Amino acid sequence: MNYPWHLYIMATLYIAAGINHFIKPKMYLRIMPIYLPNHKLLVFLSGIAEIFLGIMLCIPLVKNISLVFIIIMLIVFLLVHFYMLSNKKASAGLPKWLLLLRIPIQFLLIYWAYFYLGL
């Protein structure tokens, strides 16, 4: 089966986002909700997860498993988006309208992943 080209774009985005966790960990540490434990470990694990899931998207045998875990990951990441809205330091100086816009974008990313399930 030929994969749609935009599935490779999705894979590339997750791999790049995961790599960015290691290039700019302070950015991710700043947005971690205070109620979550061991921020450094969580930033490291989420970076690894994004890279691993992005790679798995390109392997037909495990693509659907990757998509399910990407959807779960995106739902969990909503915690960060809401935390950024409620905490000035975590907002990283981003305007409120942009922080609000990130929430529906997160749902679009979830839909984008859901769209490929079963293809």
Side-chain angles (χ1 to χ4, degrees), residues 8-95:
Y8 291 110
I9 289 176
M10 178 189 286
T12 302
L13 289 173
Y14 284 107
I15 293 167
I19 291 169
N20 201 45
H21 281 68
F22 301 100
I23 295 171
K24 297 181 180 181
K26 287 182 182 179
M27 178 178 78
Y28 295 94
L29 288 168
R30 182 184 321 142
I31 65 174
M32 290 295 292
I34 57 173
Y35 50 82
L36 293 177
N38 204 339
H39 291 171
K40 286 183 181 181
L41 178 63
L42 291 176
V43 168
F44 174 79
L45 292 176
S46 60
I48 292 290
E50 286 181 316
I51 294 167
F52 186 66
L53 293 171
I55 292 168
M56 285 177 56
L57 281 177
C58 301
I59 303 169
L61 189 62
V62 293
K63 173 189 67 83
N64 284 341
I65 294 168
S66 176
L67 289 166
V68 168
F69 279 100
I70 285 171
I71 291 168
I72 292 167
M73 179 180 69
L74 291 169
I75 291 169
V76 170
F77 286 177
L78 279 169
L79 294 172
V80 171
H81 295 300
F82 287 116
Y83 181 67
M84 289 179 75
L85 269 169
S86 67
N87 183 294
K88 186 153 182 77
K89 180 182 173 193
S91 72
L94 296 172

Side-chain angles (χ1 to χ4, degrees), residues 93-114:
L94 296 172
K96 192 73 116 180
W97 67 267
L98 186 56
L99 295 171
L100 286 167
L101 181 62
R102 292 180 69 198
I103 294 169
I105 288 173
Q106 194 77 358
F107 285 104
L108 286 173
L109 291 172
I110 291 167
Y111 174 76
W112 190 21
Y114 178 78

